[in-house]
Each structure stands twice: as structure tokens, then as C-alpha cells.
Amino acid sequence: MFRLSCILVWLFTVSAFALAQPIPGRLVEAVEDEPGTRLTWSLETIGRERVPTQLPADAFEDVPGAEQWSGPGVIGEGPGAVIARVKRSPEDVGQPGAIDDDWPEPTKIVRVTWSEQVGPLDRAPDGTTAILQRGWVACYEHPEPRGVAVLAPGMFGTPRYIIEEWTAALFDRGWTVVRLLAHSSRFTERVVFDLSDRRSARACAEEVAGVIDLRLWGCGYTLEAALRTVEMETPELRTLPRVAFGLSGGAIALPALVGWEPDRYRAMVMVAGGADFMSIASTSAYAPFIAAAQFRANGRKVGDERRAAVAELYRELSRFDPYGLAPRVEAVPKLLLHGEFDRAVPAAQGDLLWQRFGQPERWSFPVGHERLAVSLPSQFDRMLDWVDNAVNEADEDNANQEGRR
């Protein structure tokens, strides 16, 4: 049996960061490491059709109290959604993606389960009362932490060996690492948006913004639960700085993660990120592969002019897109790493992010998305030196402000 610590948390709000949709409850449970074992996980993409009936018996394996989400009327994640399977394995079982045995192992994996009532993702027949959401966060607790480093990977937790090496580099610098294993479960769930002319552009944009906002917000909701769990067990972390890192889809979600408590963060680093997630999802070279959001007009691919008109309104309406969150995280020092020939997160959207953030420091490379990602370890020392300087400068500014009081 897993040793689990569980907390059932009823809905609370964080200033403007609360969504309008009511969320009846949240289950947070930590799977702890034990001597002679190691925590391992695998990610699975759901391919079957979603059925609004009772969930499979193993859907909540080893999750105490989850019966509130496992009855009739609760609808599980649908095609395209990603589920993490966490287990405790013998110590000699290798961690998938970890090619260096000297890399740190997670001390716990926090699993977060919650449900929405009627919301923008509701496509179920009458009788559905709640829609399931889940998220998973690995925690690498440093024995003498200087602070907490949040790390958000690309879609589907990729590229895993790069993320493992990034985790190790942060841990070696003294950071407790809190790492999303993947985006929240419905982040890549398939949805088709009707952008046909029979609907107003604003109505289309409102629907798109509602779905994308909920997906981005869910990542932050998952992370916030994990951070609270870690800080409850190690209260001194509450007084230490936080820094945040994101790659690709993780960089797109990063402002939604930092935005929960922007005053706690001393630096954020976004690699291959972008603003205007609607335009990214509709023009990315990965769109046919991921297919999380599809845009159609009268059953056909939507035209560029119509898509651009809806996207312009989407940028105005979205609350959790990096475009809309720029003012909320304005005070956090930022570093952007940009691929000039990126087609996965189109370079134009990376430029838009940079402009929207007020043109912070940016390192540009004449490469595409994949080359930027695989060469990232060569930039770790330089990147973390930049973060050290940002943290030190923030500490000096805080000390000067205290001295003037």
C-alpha cells in the first residue's frame, strides 16, 4: 500500500484568479517515497470515446475518499486527455527517461483530483453532474533548500530526458524542485470549435477563451495544491524565494502558474513560449499530431481571415492566456529563449509574447523548436546564473526597501 497523506480542500478563491465555475471539492494526496523503493510514473493518452457513466474501477486506484467522484453522473476525461499512473517500484527499477542514476529522485508525487459542475467543457448528455479533472506534480525536496523552483514541461511531459536533466541542474543549485509531470488531464482533450459565419465572431471567441482558460487555469490549480502541500510539511519554504521555468507548452502555461502568487516569484524563464494560445493551437506544426483544439467552419478548415478575426477577440477576452496575464506578472524578472525558426510554437507568437511582456531579456537562436529543446542542457549553467543574479538583485532591492522604512 502507498503511504498517503490526504487533504480534502473545499473551494477557495485567490483574488481575480478564481474561475466563475463552481468547484465542489478538491482531493490532494501525496504518494511518499519509502526506503528501498522509488516512485515511478507513466503517462497515458486516452483514445476511447468518453462515456458519461460510472468510471472504471481503477480510475481512482489508491485514492482515499474519491468515491465522491466515481458514481453515476461523473464524466471522465475524453480522447486526447493525458493520465499519469504513479506507483512505487523496487529501487532497482529504472525511472523511464532518467538515463543517469545520479539524478535526484522525487520524494513525493502529489496527485490532485477535482471536478467542475456546468462549465465550458460540458458536452455530456443530460444527467451529468460533474466533470473530472486531475493533475500530477513530482516534488524533489532538497535537504537545505535555497527556495522552490517550479518546472513545467512541454506537452505530454516531453522531452522527458531534458526535463530530468533540468531537474537535476536545479537540484544541484540548491532548489527544491516542484515539477508538473504533465499539464492537467484535460489540457490536450480533443475539442472542435465551430467558427462558421452563422455565429458571431465574439460568440466563437468567448467559447474558445472559456475552454482554453479552464485548461491553463487547471495547471495552476494543480501546482498551487502541490506547493501548499510541500510548504505545509516544510514551513520554512514559505519565506524562501520561488523561481519558475517552462518549456514549450509549459512556457505557455507558466504565467498561469506564476499568476497565482506573483509576489512570491523572483524570476521566470520561458523557453519556446508564445502568446495567443488560440493562434498557436491553430497554426502549430504540431496541430495535426496533438489535435487538442480543432477549428472548423461549415465542416471545413476555417479560413485565415475568419480565424484571425476570432483570435483578435480571443486575445481581448481570455483571462489566462499569457497575452492577458502579462500585466499580472509584470514585476517578475523574465528571461525568454526563442527559436527564430520555431514552427511548433510559431516564432511569430514568441515575438508577440516578448512584445507583450515589454521586451525583457531574450536569447534568440537560429533554430527550430526541436533543436532549441535538445540543445537546452548546453544553456543550463548560463540560464541558472541569470536566475541567481535576478534573485540576488531582488534580495538587495527588498533589503533596501526594508532599510528605508
Side-chain angles (χ1 to χ4, degrees), residues 108-154:
K108 66 168 59 70
I109 294 178
V110 178
R111 300 190 289 197
V112 185
T113 305
W114 74 97
S115 59
E116 315 150 26
Q117 291 180 334
V118 178
L121 287 182
D122 188 4
R123 301 289 185 272
D126 292 342
T128 293
T129 59
I131 299 175
L132 188 71
Q133 291 262 36
R134 286 180 279 185
W136 299 264
V137 180
C139 303
Y140 302 76
E141 294 165 288
H142 199 283
E144 298 180 358
R146 57 182 298 193
V148 175
V150 168
L151 179 57

Short mmCIF file of all heavy atoms in Angstrom, two decimals, residues 108-154:
data_model
loop_
_atom_site.label_atom_id
_atom_site.label_comp_id
_atom_site.label_asym_id
_atom_site.label_seq_id
_atom_site.Cartn_x
_atom_site.Cartn_y
_atom_site.Cartn_z
N LYS A 108 8.19 12.78 -3.26
CA LYS A 108 6.74 12.55 -3.25
C LYS A 108 6.17 12.98 -4.59
O LYS A 108 6.77 13.78 -5.32
CB LYS A 108 6.06 13.30 -2.11
CG LYS A 108 6.10 14.81 -2.21
CD LYS A 108 5.17 15.49 -1.20
CE LYS A 108 5.47 15.16 0.22
NZ LYS A 108 6.71 15.75 0.71
N ILE A 109 5.03 12.41 -4.92
CA ILE A 109 4.27 12.84 -6.08
C ILE A 109 2.88 13.22 -5.58
O ILE A 109 2.19 12.42 -4.96
CB ILE A 109 4.19 11.75 -7.16
CG1 ILE A 109 5.60 11.51 -7.76
CG2 ILE A 109 3.22 12.16 -8.27
CD1 ILE A 109 5.64 10.42 -8.81
N VAL A 110 2.51 14.45 -5.82
CA VAL A 110 1.22 14.96 -5.37
C VAL A 110 0.22 14.79 -6.51
O VAL A 110 0.46 15.21 -7.64
CB VAL A 110 1.32 16.44 -4.97
CG1 VAL A 110 -0.06 16.98 -4.55
CG2 VAL A 110 2.33 16.62 -3.84
N ARG A 111 -0.90 14.15 -6.19
CA ARG A 111 -1.97 13.95 -7.16
C ARG A 111 -3.17 14.80 -6.73
O ARG A 111 -3.57 14.76 -5.57
CB ARG A 111 -2.35 12.48 -7.26
CG ARG A 111 -1.19 11.60 -7.69
CD ARG A 111 -1.61 10.19 -8.02
NE ARG A 111 -2.00 9.44 -6.82
CZ ARG A 111 -2.09 8.10 -6.80
NH1 ARG A 111 -1.84 7.40 -7.89
NH2 ARG A 111 -2.44 7.47 -5.69
N VAL A 112 -3.70 15.53 -7.66
CA VAL A 112 -4.80 16.45 -7.37
C VAL A 112 -6.01 16.03 -8.21
O VAL A 112 -5.90 15.86 -9.42
CB VAL A 112 -4.41 17.91 -7.70
CG1 VAL A 112 -5.52 18.87 -7.28
CG2 VAL A 112 -3.09 18.28 -7.04
N THR A 113 -7.14 15.86 -7.56
CA THR A 113 -8.37 15.49 -8.24
C THR A 113 -9.44 16.50 -7.88
O THR A 113 -9.62 16.83 -6.71
CB THR A 113 -8.84 14.08 -7.80
OG1 THR A 113 -7.78 13.14 -8.03
CG2 THR A 113 -10.06 13.64 -8.59
N TRP A 114 -10.12 17.02 -8.88
CA TRP A 114 -11.23 17.93 -8.60
C TRP A 114 -12.28 17.76 -9.70
O TRP A 114 -12.07 17.02 -10.65
CB TRP A 114 -10.76 19.37 -8.48
CG TRP A 114 -10.38 20.07 -9.75
CD1 TRP A 114 -11.16 20.91 -10.49
CD2 TRP A 114 -9.11 20.04 -10.41
NE1 TRP A 114 -10.46 21.40 -11.57
CE2 TRP A 114 -9.20 20.88 -11.54
CE3 TRP A 114 -7.90 19.38 -10.15
CZ2 TRP A 114 -8.12 21.07 -12.42
CZ3 TRP A 114 -6.84 19.57 -11.02
CH2 TRP A 114 -6.95 20.41 -12.13
N SER A 115 -13.39 18.42 -9.52
CA SER A 115 -14.45 18.30 -10.52
C SER A 115 -15.09 19.66 -10.75
O SER A 115 -15.13 20.51 -9.88
CB SER A 115 -15.51 17.30 -10.06
OG SER A 115 -16.09 17.70 -8.83
N GLU A 116 -15.56 19.84 -11.97
CA GLU A 116 -16.31 21.03 -12.33
C GLU A 116 -17.78 20.66 -12.40
O GLU A 116 -18.12 19.56 -12.80
CB GLU A 116 -15.90 21.55 -13.70
CG GLU A 116 -14.43 21.62 -13.98
CD GLU A 116 -14.17 21.42 -15.46
OE1 GLU A 116 -15.07 21.74 -16.25
OE2 GLU A 116 -13.09 20.95 -15.80
N GLN A 117 -18.61 21.63 -12.11
CA GLN A 117 -20.01 21.47 -12.45
C GLN A 117 -20.20 22.05 -13.85
O GLN A 117 -19.28 22.01 -14.65
CB GLN A 117 -20.88 22.12 -11.38
CG GLN A 117 -20.80 21.34 -10.06
CD GLN A 117 -21.64 21.92 -8.96
OE1 GLN A 117 -21.92 23.11 -8.96
NE2 GLN A 117 -22.02 21.10 -8.01
N VAL A 118 -21.36 22.56 -14.17
CA VAL A 118 -21.59 23.01 -15.54
C VAL A 118 -20.53 24.03 -15.93
O VAL A 118 -20.34 25.03 -15.26
CB VAL A 118 -22.99 23.62 -15.68
CG1 VAL A 118 -23.21 24.13 -17.09
CG2 VAL A 118 -24.03 22.56 -15.32
N GLY A 119 -19.84 23.80 -17.05
CA GLY A 119 -18.76 24.67 -17.49
C GLY A 119 -18.56 24.55 -18.98
O GLY A 119 -19.28 23.82 -19.67
N PRO A 120 -17.59 25.26 -19.53
CA PRO A 120 -17.42 25.31 -20.98
C PRO A 120 -17.01 23.99 -21.61
O PRO A 120 -17.11 23.84 -22.81
CB PRO A 120 -16.33 26.37 -21.18
CG PRO A 120 -15.61 26.40 -19.87
CD PRO A 120 -16.65 26.12 -18.83
N LEU A 121 -16.54 23.02 -20.80
CA LEU A 121 -16.16 21.73 -21.38
C LEU A 121 -17.32 20.74 -21.39
O LEU A 121 -17.16 19.60 -21.79
CB LEU A 121 -15.00 21.12 -20.58
CG LEU A 121 -13.64 21.78 -20.78
CD1 LEU A 121 -12.59 21.04 -19.96
CD2 LEU A 121 -13.24 21.80 -22.23
N ASP A 122 -18.48 21.17 -20.95
CA ASP A 122 -19.61 20.24 -20.80
C ASP A 122 -20.20 19.90 -22.17
O ASP A 122 -20.86 20.72 -22.78
CB ASP A 122 -20.67 20.85 -19.89
CG ASP A 122 -21.77 19.87 -19.55
OD1 ASP A 122 -21.65 18.70 -19.96
OD2 ASP A 122 -22.71 20.27 -18.86
N ARG A 123 -19.94 18.69 -22.61
CA ARG A 123 -20.51 18.22 -23.87
C ARG A 123 -21.32 16.95 -23.62
O ARG A 123 -21.56 16.16 -24.52
CB ARG A 123 -19.41 17.90 -24.89
CG ARG A 123 -18.52 19.09 -25.23
CD ARG A 123 -19.28 20.12 -26.06
NE ARG A 123 -18.40 21.19 -26.46
CZ ARG A 123 -18.18 22.27 -25.75
NH1 ARG A 123 -18.76 22.42 -24.57
NH2 ARG A 123 -17.38 23.22 -26.19
N ALA A 124 -21.68 16.71 -22.36
CA ALA A 124 -22.30 15.44 -21.99
C ALA A 124 -23.82 15.52 -22.13
O ALA A 124 -24.41 16.59 -22.09
CB ALA A 124 -21.94 15.10 -20.55
N PRO A 125 -24.48 14.35 -22.29
CA PRO A 125 -25.94 14.34 -22.31
C PRO A 125 -26.49 14.76 -20.96
O PRO A 125 -25.78 14.87 -19.97
CB PRO A 125 -26.27 12.86 -22.61
CG PRO A 125 -25.01 12.28 -23.16
CD PRO A 125 -23.88 13.05 -22.54
N ASP A 126 -27.79 14.98 -20.92
CA ASP A 126 -28.43 15.34 -19.65
C ASP A 126 -28.14 14.27 -18.60
O ASP A 126 -28.10 13.08 -18.89
CB ASP A 126 -29.95 15.48 -19.84
CG ASP A 126 -30.28 16.67 -20.70
OD1 ASP A 126 -29.42 17.55 -20.84
OD2 ASP A 126 -31.41 16.71 -21.24
N GLY A 127 -27.97 14.71 -17.39
CA GLY A 127 -27.70 13.76 -16.31
C GLY A 127 -26.30 13.87 -15.76
O GLY A 127 -26.02 13.42 -14.66
N THR A 128 -25.38 14.49 -16.49
CA THR A 128 -24.03 14.69 -15.97
C THR A 128 -24.06 15.77 -14.90
O THR A 128 -24.61 16.85 -15.10
CB THR A 128 -23.08 15.10 -17.10
OG1 THR A 128 -22.94 14.02 -18.00
CG2 THR A 128 -21.71 15.49 -16.55
N THR A 129 -23.49 15.49 -13.77
CA THR A 129 -23.46 16.45 -12.67
C THR A 129 -22.08 17.02 -12.41
O THR A 129 -21.95 18.07 -11.80
CB THR A 129 -23.97 15.79 -11.37
OG1 THR A 129 -23.13 14.66 -11.07
CG2 THR A 129 -25.40 15.33 -11.53
N ALA A 130 -21.04 16.35 -12.84
CA ALA A 130 -19.68 16.83 -12.58
C ALA A 130 -18.74 16.29 -13.65
O ALA A 130 -18.96 15.21 -14.20
CB ALA A 130 -19.20 16.40 -11.19
N ILE A 131 -17.71 17.05 -13.93
CA ILE A 131 -16.72 16.69 -14.96
C ILE A 131 -15.36 16.61 -14.28
O ILE A 131 -14.91 17.57 -13.66
CB ILE A 131 -16.70 17.72 -16.10
CG1 ILE A 131 -18.08 17.77 -16.78
CG2 ILE A 131 -15.63 17.38 -17.11
CD1 ILE A 131 -18.19 18.82 -17.84
N LEU A 132 -14.73 15.47 -14.37
CA LEU A 132 -13.50 15.19 -13.65
C LEU A 132 -12.30 15.92 -14.24
O LEU A 132 -12.18 16.07 -15.46
CB LEU A 132 -13.23 13.68 -13.68
CG LEU A 132 -12.08 13.17 -12.82
CD1 LEU A 132 -12.45 13.27 -11.35
CD2 LEU A 132 -11.77 11.73 -13.19
N GLN A 133 -11.40 16.37 -13.36
CA GLN A 133 -10.11 16.92 -13.74
C GLN A 133 -9.05 16.35 -12.80
O GLN A 133 -9.33 16.13 -11.61
CB GLN A 133 -10.10 18.45 -13.60
CG GLN A 133 -10.97 19.15 -14.61
CD GLN A 133 -10.16 19.67 -15.79
OE1 GLN A 133 -9.21 19.06 -16.23
NE2 GLN A 133 -10.56 20.82 -16.30
N ARG A 134 -7.85 16.16 -13.31
CA ARG A 134 -6.76 15.66 -12.48
C ARG A 134 -5.42 16.28 -12.89
O ARG A 134 -5.25 16.74 -14.01
CB ARG A 134 -6.66 14.12 -12.59
CG ARG A 134 -7.76 13.40 -11.86
CD ARG A 134 -7.66 11.90 -11.99
NE ARG A 134 -8.21 11.41 -13.24
CZ ARG A 134 -8.31 10.12 -13.55
NH1 ARG A 134 -7.86 9.21 -12.72
NH2 ARG A 134 -8.85 9.74 -14.69
N GLY A 135 -4.46 16.25 -11.95
CA GLY A 135 -3.12 16.73 -12.23
C GLY A 135 -2.11 16.03 -11.33
O GLY A 135 -2.47 15.49 -10.27
N TRP A 136 -0.84 16.05 -11.74
CA TRP A 136 0.21 15.32 -11.03
C TRP A 136 1.47 16.18 -10.97
O TRP A 136 1.88 16.77 -11.97
CB TRP A 136 0.53 14.01 -11.74
CG TRP A 136 -0.64 13.09 -11.83
CD1 TRP A 136 -0.94 12.05 -11.00
CD2 TRP A 136 -1.69 13.12 -12.82
NE1 TRP A 136 -2.10 11.43 -11.41
CE2 TRP A 136 -2.58 12.06 -12.51
CE3 TRP A 136 -1.96 13.93 -13.93
CZ2 TRP A 136 -3.73 11.81 -13.27
CZ3 TRP A 136 -3.10 13.68 -14.68
CH2 TRP A 136 -3.97 12.62 -14.36
N VAL A 137 2.09 16.23 -9.79
CA VAL A 137 3.28 17.04 -9.59
C VAL A 137 4.31 16.23 -8.81
O VAL A 137 4.00 15.68 -7.74
CB VAL A 137 2.96 18.33 -8.81
CG1 VAL A 137 4.21 19.18 -8.61
CG2 VAL A 137 1.87 19.14 -9.53
N ALA A 138 5.53 16.14 -9.33
CA ALA A 138 6.64 15.47 -8.63
C ALA A 138 7.42 16.50 -7.82
O ALA A 138 7.70 17.61 -8.31
CB ALA A 138 7.55 14.77 -9.63
N CYS A 139 7.75 16.14 -6.58
CA CYS A 139 8.48 17.04 -5.69
C CYS A 139 9.84 16.44 -5.36
O CYS A 139 9.93 15.29 -4.91
CB CYS A 139 7.68 17.28 -4.41
SG CYS A 139 6.03 17.94 -4.69
N TYR A 140 10.87 17.23 -5.56
CA TYR A 140 12.25 16.84 -5.26
C TYR A 140 12.72 17.76 -4.14
O TYR A 140 13.13 18.89 -4.39
CB TYR A 140 13.14 16.98 -6.49
CG TYR A 140 12.68 16.18 -7.69
CD1 TYR A 140 11.59 16.59 -8.47
CD2 TYR A 140 13.33 15.01 -8.06
CE1 TYR A 140 11.17 15.86 -9.57
CE2 TYR A 140 12.92 14.28 -9.17
CZ TYR A 140 11.84 14.71 -9.91
OH TYR A 140 11.42 13.98 -11.00
N GLU A 141 12.62 17.29 -2.91
CA GLU A 141 12.84 18.15 -1.76
C GLU A 141 14.32 18.16 -1.36
O GLU A 141 14.88 17.14 -0.97
CB GLU A 141 11.97 17.67 -0.60
CG GLU A 141 10.48 17.85 -0.92
CD GLU A 141 9.57 17.09 0.01
OE1 GLU A 141 9.52 15.84 -0.09
OE2 GLU A 141 8.91 17.73 0.84
N HIS A 142 14.92 19.32 -1.47
CA HIS A 142 16.34 19.48 -1.15
C HIS A 142 16.52 19.52 0.37
O HIS A 142 15.72 20.14 1.08
CB HIS A 142 16.87 20.77 -1.77
CG HIS A 142 18.35 20.82 -1.90
ND1 HIS A 142 19.18 21.07 -0.82
CD2 HIS A 142 19.16 20.62 -2.97
CE1 HIS A 142 20.44 21.04 -1.23
NE2 HIS A 142 20.46 20.77 -2.52
N PRO A 143 17.57 18.88 0.91
CA PRO A 143 17.76 18.89 2.37
C PRO A 143 18.07 20.27 2.93
O PRO A 143 17.75 20.55 4.09
CB PRO A 143 18.93 17.92 2.58
CG PRO A 143 19.63 17.85 1.26
CD PRO A 143 18.58 18.04 0.22
N GLU A 144 18.68 21.14 2.12
CA GLU A 144 18.98 22.50 2.57
C GLU A 144 18.55 23.47 1.46
O GLU A 144 19.39 24.06 0.76
CB GLU A 144 20.47 22.66 2.88
CG GLU A 144 20.95 21.76 4.02
CD GLU A 144 22.43 21.93 4.31
OE1 GLU A 144 23.09 22.70 3.59
OE2 GLU A 144 22.92 21.30 5.25
N PRO A 145 17.26 23.66 1.28
CA PRO A 145 16.78 24.42 0.12
C PRO A 145 17.06 25.91 0.22
O PRO A 145 16.96 26.51 1.29
CB PRO A 145 15.27 24.14 0.13
CG PRO A 145 14.96 23.90 1.58
CD PRO A 145 16.17 23.19 2.13
N ARG A 146 17.39 26.48 -0.91
CA ARG A 146 17.51 27.93 -1.01
C ARG A 146 16.19 28.55 -1.44
O ARG A 146 16.01 29.77 -1.40
CB ARG A 146 18.59 28.31 -2.02
CG ARG A 146 18.35 27.73 -3.40
CD ARG A 146 19.43 28.07 -4.38
NE ARG A 146 19.55 29.49 -4.60
CZ ARG A 146 20.25 30.02 -5.60
NH1 ARG A 146 20.92 29.24 -6.43
NH2 ARG A 146 20.31 31.32 -5.75
N GLY A 147 15.27 27.69 -1.91
CA GLY A 147 13.97 28.14 -2.38
C GLY A 147 13.31 27.04 -3.20
O GLY A 147 13.76 25.89 -3.19
N VAL A 148 12.25 27.41 -3.89
CA VAL A 148 11.47 26.46 -4.68
C VAL A 148 11.54 26.84 -6.14
O VAL A 148 11.29 28.00 -6.51
CB VAL A 148 10.00 26.42 -4.22
CG1 VAL A 148 9.17 25.51 -5.13
CG2 VAL A 148 9.91 25.95 -2.77
N ALA A 149 11.89 25.86 -6.97
CA ALA A 149 11.90 26.04 -8.42
C ALA A 149 10.74 25.26 -9.02
O ALA A 149 10.65 24.05 -8.86
CB ALA A 149 13.23 25.56 -9.01
N VAL A 150 9.85 25.96 -9.69
CA VAL A 150 8.73 25.34 -10.40
C VAL A 150 9.18 25.03 -11.82
O VAL A 150 9.80 25.87 -12.48
CB VAL A 150 7.53 26.31 -10.41
CG1 VAL A 150 6.45 25.82 -11.38
CG2 VAL A 150 6.98 26.48 -9.01
N LEU A 151 8.87 23.83 -12.29
CA LEU A 151 9.30 23.41 -13.63
C LEU A 151 8.11 22.82 -14.37
O LEU A 151 7.48 21.87 -13.90
CB LEU A 151 10.43 22.38 -13.53
CG LEU A 151 10.99 21.81 -14.84
CD1 LEU A 151 11.50 22.93 -15.75
CD2 LEU A 151 12.12 20.81 -14.55
N ALA A 152 7.80 23.38 -15.54
CA ALA A 152 6.68 22.93 -16.35
C ALA A 152 7.20 22.41 -17.69
O ALA A 152 7.83 23.16 -18.44
CB ALA A 152 5.69 24.07 -16.57
N PRO A 153 6.95 21.13 -18.03
CA PRO A 153 7.48 20.54 -19.25
C PRO A 153 6.63 20.90 -20.47
O PRO A 153 5.61 21.59 -20.37
CB PRO A 153 7.39 19.04 -18.96
CG PRO A 153 6.14 18.93 -18.13
CD PRO A 153 6.13 20.17 -17.27
N GLY A 154 7.07 20.37 -21.62
CA GLY A 154 6.26 20.50 -22.83
C GLY A 154 5.07 19.56 -22.78
O GLY A 154 4.83 18.85 -21.80
#
